[in-house]
């Protein structure tokens, strides 16, 4: 049935690439889109187009932004000598939600993943080193407490310490294997306060 | 059907908002993928046990028609509390998983190899020095189980004693050639102590593995030799990309 429309078929394919969306759900989403009023579909198109055209990553911290440098990197109310290293932009959202952190960020783009061949050259490690070399008082390593996150924390601390910067990590208030993104605010505040040197 | 088996977690991938897809090597059913729903929230009982290198007792619905099976229960079957937190042990463990992952195919059951992996992880956890020895021992066992075991008792070309240097590792023959009959174009020369180390770590007794003291550079050289042999012979095996990370952790 569906193959009678190559246009619909390509929409289904596009939807099925979204995280957590299987082929069947993608079909439902595509058919749902088809039944929507034209104006709503156009709104979706505009939103997608805007994201495509306006959203990019900050050339300093690699968080997602519409201005470069981003609002956090260009804010005078932020402590630019304190940088918090996280895996993904989601983690920035999570920490910002606490309203408790006044430093800046560095989005690494993931963790070392030995089985997937993801090494330091695939992450923004070199860029982090460059920022620290330009002068930083403290680097907080706030990676997810997974096995890969721990390995990355150790790897980074070994690189950073010789640069004479204070290197800390967030306390392990979050169970191993969980996601920073889903921690409740109180846990996150405690984890930031309880950071320890590594 | 619902099955229960021991498993070692090889890798995990985030799925949806709170779930994880884990790739495991099970004792009874070989390598397969399981979905652990809600495993990334701090309320999940799975949260701290579904990580690479974790040894678990897994209960899941095995559906022949599916590529991913639903994990219904999991509990720790062995606790390795000294691996995570020790960068060298962590990276060594990752190379074990990488080697296993590339050498076995999906749903290929291999209980003997599973037991070797668990034994190597147990040893790595207990090791007070030379963690890489456990990796070397595991790679030797892995090659043997894959049908590409090393021949370490005599020259692979003339059958004579391996007493004249330099020794050469001849991967196509699965062992060492003596100084008399090595081909002139080979470059992978090895010292007699490499051969001794391999003979020592080939012994099926984990309690003696840690007694061998090797310089980190030497042990990495042996790991490279074995990884190269694996990559060359085991069908479908690829280069171990985790090796460079181990290298930077061990020798800095
Ligand atoms: Zn920025
Ligand atoms: Zn010979």
């Amino acid at each position: 049935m569906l193959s009678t429309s190559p246009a619909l078929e390509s929409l289904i394919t596009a939807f099925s690439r979204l995280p957590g969306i299987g082929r069947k759900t993608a079909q439902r989403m595509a058919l749902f889109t088809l039944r929507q009023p034209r104006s709503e579909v156009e709104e979706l198109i505009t939103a997608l187009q805007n994201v495509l055209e306006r959203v990019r990553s900050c050339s300093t911290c690699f968080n997602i932004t519409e201005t470069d440098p981003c609002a956090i990197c260009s804010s005078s109310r932020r402590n630019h000598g304190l940088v918090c290293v996280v895996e993904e932009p989601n983690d920035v959202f999570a920490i910002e939600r606490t309203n408790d952190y006044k430093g800046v960020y560095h989005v690494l783009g993931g963790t070392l993943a030995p089985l997937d061949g993801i090494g330091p050259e695939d992450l923004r490690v070199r860029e982090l080193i460059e920022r620290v070399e330009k002068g930083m008082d403290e680097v907080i390593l706030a990676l997810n407490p997974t096995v890969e996150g721990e390995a990355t924390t150790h790897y980074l601390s070994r690189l950073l310490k010789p640069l004479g910067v204070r290197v800390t990590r967030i306390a392990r208030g979050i169970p191993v294997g969980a996601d920073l993104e889903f921690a409740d605010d109180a846990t996150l505040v405690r984890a930031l306060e309880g950071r320890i040197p590594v | 059907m619902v099955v229960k088996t021991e498993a070692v977690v090889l890798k995990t991938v985030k799925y949806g908002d709170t779930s994880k897809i884990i790739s495991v090597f099970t004792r009874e059913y070989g390598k397969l993928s399981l979905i652990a729903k809600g495993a990334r929230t701090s309320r999940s009982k799975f949260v701290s046990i579904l990580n690479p290198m974790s040894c678990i007792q897994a209960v899941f619905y095995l559906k022949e028609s599916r590529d991913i099976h639903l994990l219904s229960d999991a509990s720790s079957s062995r606790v390795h509390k000294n691996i995570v937190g020790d960068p060298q042990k962590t990276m060594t463990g990752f190379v074990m998983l990488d080697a296993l992952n590339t050498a076995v195919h999906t749903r290929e059951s291999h209980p003997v190899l599973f037991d070797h992996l668990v034994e190597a992880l147990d040893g790595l956890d207990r090791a007070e020095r030379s963690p890489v020895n456990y990796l070397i021992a595991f790679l030797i066992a892995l090659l043997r189980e894959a049908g590409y075991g090393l021949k370490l008792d005599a020259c692979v070309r003339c059958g004579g004693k391996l007493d004249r240097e330099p020794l050469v590792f001849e991967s196509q023959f699965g062992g060492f050639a003596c100084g008399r009959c090595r081909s002139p174009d080979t470059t992978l020369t090895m010292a007699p102590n490499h051969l001794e180390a391999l003979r020592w770590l080939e012994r099926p007794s984990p309690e003696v593995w840690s007694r061998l003291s090797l310089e980190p550079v030497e042990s990495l050289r042996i790991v490279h030799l074995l990884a190269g042999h694996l990559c060359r012979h085991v069908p479908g095996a690829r280069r171990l990309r985790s090796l460079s990370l181990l290298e930077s952790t061990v020798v800095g």
Side-chain angles (χ1 to χ4, degrees), chain A residues 19-22 87-88 112-121 144-148 150-152 154-155 158 172 174-179 181-184, chain B residues 10-12 14-18 20 39-42 47-49 51-53 84-87 90-91 94-95 97-98 101 238 241-242 245 248-249 251-252:
Chain A
I21 303 296
E87 290 176 24
E88 303 289 350
L112 300 174
L115 263 63
D116 296 314
I118 298 177
E121 62 287 347
N144 285 317
T146 55
V147 177
E148 294 90 340
E150 290 292 299
T152 312
H154 284 287
Y155 179 84
R158 262 174 44 129
R172 287 168 231 200
I174 299 153
V176 173
D179 252 21
E181 191 190 338
F182 293 100
D184 59 275
Chain B
L10 301 176
K11 59 181 186 173
T12 70
K14 293 178 186 180
Y15 183 79
D17 274 351
T18 58
K20 256 183 188 181
R40 274 156 57 217
T41 57
S42 43
V47 73
S48 58
I49 57 171
N51 299 301
M53 287 172 261
V84 180
D86 180 325
T90 305
M91 285 307 170
F94 269 126
V95 182
L97 300 186
D98 198 5
N101 188 40
R238 48 153 186 77
R241 291 179 290 191
S242 55
L245 277 170
S248 68
T249 315
V251 291

Side-chain angles (χ1 to χ4, degrees), chain B:
Chain B
M1 91 181 143
V2 177
V3 299
K4 185 175 182 175
T5 176
E6 267 189 274
V8 174
V9 179
L10 301 176
K11 59 181 186 173
T12 70
V13 184
K14 293 178 186 180
Y15 183 79
D17 274 351
T18 58
S19 303
K20 256 183 188 181
I21 292 176
I22 59 170
S23 167
V24 292
F25 183 53
T26 66
R27 192 169 192 282
E28 322 296 333
Y29 307 93
K31 187 168 76 171
L32 42 83
S33 294
L34 302 172
I35 178 158
K37 293 203 166 146
R40 274 156 57 217
T41 57
S42 43
R43 286 172 305 281
S44 168
K45 60 175 177 161
F46 297 156
V47 73
S48 58
I49 57 171
L50 301 183
N51 299 301
M53 287 172 261
S54 291
C55 296
I56 59 171
Q57 187 76 45
V59 181
F60 55 92
Y61 297 95
L62 185 70
K63 235 181 172 177
E64 295 300 332
S65 58
R66 290 268 171 97
D67 291 334
I68 301 176
H69 312 274
L70 178 67
L71 180 74
S72 65
D73 198 16
S75 55
S76 265
S77 60
R78 317 173 90 83
V79 180
H80 293 144
K81 60 181 191 316
N82 302 315
I83 298 180
V84 180
D86 180 325
Q88 246 188 60
K89 287 187 178 185
T90 305
M91 285 307 170
T92 305
F94 269 126
V95 182
M96 288 180 192
L97 300 186
D98 198 5
L100 179 109
N101 188 40
T102 193
V104 301
H105 302 288
T106 304
R107 296 293 303 274
E108 206 176 66
S109 155
H110 205 321
V112 177
L113 187 54
F114 179 87
D115 295 341
H116 279 302
L117 177 63
V118 170
E119 186 176 58
L121 288 170
D122 280 351
L124 186 63
D125 182 59
R126 284 193 310 266
E128 283 170 12
R129 59 200 167 92
S130 314
V132 180
N133 286 7
Y134 294 89
L135 168 62
I136 296 174
F138 175 66
L139 290 174
I140 295 172
L142 175 62
L143 284 167
R144 188 176 56 234
E145 294 305 322
Y148 300 92
L150 299 183
K151 187 168 152 45
L152 301 172
D153 54 341
C155 169
V156 288
R157 286 178 180 266
C158 71
K161 269 192 173 175
L162 287 166
D163 54 1
R164 194 185 292 182
E165 290 180 62
L167 298 173
V168 170
F169 185 69
E170 306 243 17
S171 189
Q172 71 271 38
F173 301 118
F176 290 85
C178 70
R180 283 174 296 269
C181 41
R182 70 190 187 106
S183 45
D185 53 335
T186 47
T187 48
L188 197 56
T189 57
M190 304 296 282
N193 71 327
H194 294 133
L195 177 62
E196 286 313 312
L198 283 165
R199 282 176 175 161
W200 184 268
L201 296 171
E202 188 190 32
R203 296 165 64 181
S205 37
E207 60 280 4
V208 306
W209 293 344
S210 67
R211 277 195 245 148
L212 178 77
S213 165
L214 275 170
E215 287 295 315
V217 184
E218 304 282 305
S219 56
L220 284 174
R221 204 172 146 82
I222 296 174
V223 170
H224 272 287
L225 177 148
L226 297 169
H229 193 60
L230 177 94
C231 189
R232 175 172 182 153
H233 295 290
V234 177
R238 48 153 186 77
R239 195 172 61 81
L240 302 186
R241 291 179 290 191
S242 55
L243 262 184
S244 60
L245 277 170
L246 175 66
E247 229 158 18
S248 68
T249 315
V250 172
V251 291

Side-chain angles (χ1 to χ4, degrees), chain A residues 58 60-63 69-70 72-73:
Chain A
C58 171
T60 305
C61 70
F62 301 97
N63 191 13
C70 71
I72 296 174
C73 286

